[in-house]
């Protein structure tokens, strides 16, 4: 998947900036999304929905969800911990 193009000279700097931005993001949610994506070809539709339901339940109980809501309401950047 391609989502951006940069000059050769800027590649390392852009890659590091993207890595930092991802590391500051909701890493637990990223991991859940990746697990769901990779499991989908082997799962039936119902199995995938069940797996997504389970992951949504886990995500909803995570500390990061409360941080995300608080940051949104306070109009500030979220500080995710991966918990």
């Amino acid at each position: 998947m391609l989502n951006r193009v940069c000059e050769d000279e800027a590649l390392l700097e852009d890659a590091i900036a993207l890595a930092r931005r991802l590391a500051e993001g909701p890493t637990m949610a990223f991991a859940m999304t990746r697990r769901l994506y990779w499991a989908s070809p082997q799962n039936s539709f119902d199995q995938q929905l069940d797996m997504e339901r389970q992951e949504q339940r886990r995500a909803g109980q995570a500390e990061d969800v409360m941080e995300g809501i608080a940051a949104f309401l306070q109009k500030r950047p979220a500080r995710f911990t991966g918990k």
Side-chain angles (χ1 to χ4, degrees), residues 27-43 48 51-52 54-56 58-59:
T27 54
M28 189 171 105
F30 292 159
M32 287 179 179
T33 301
R34 185 176 174 167
R35 269 194 304 276
L36 289 166
Y37 174 79
W38 285 108
S40 66
Q42 291 82 26
N43 287 341
Q48 188 67 20
M51 188 174 178
E52 291 183 17
Q54 292 170 13
E55 292 291 6
Q56 285 291 330
R58 283 186 50 222

Side-chain angles (χ1 to χ4, degrees), residues 66-79:
M66 297 310 297
E67 169 58 18
I69 292 168
F72 176 79
L73 293 174
Q74 296 168 11
K75 298 181 182 353
R76 63 170 172 79
R79 293 178 296 275

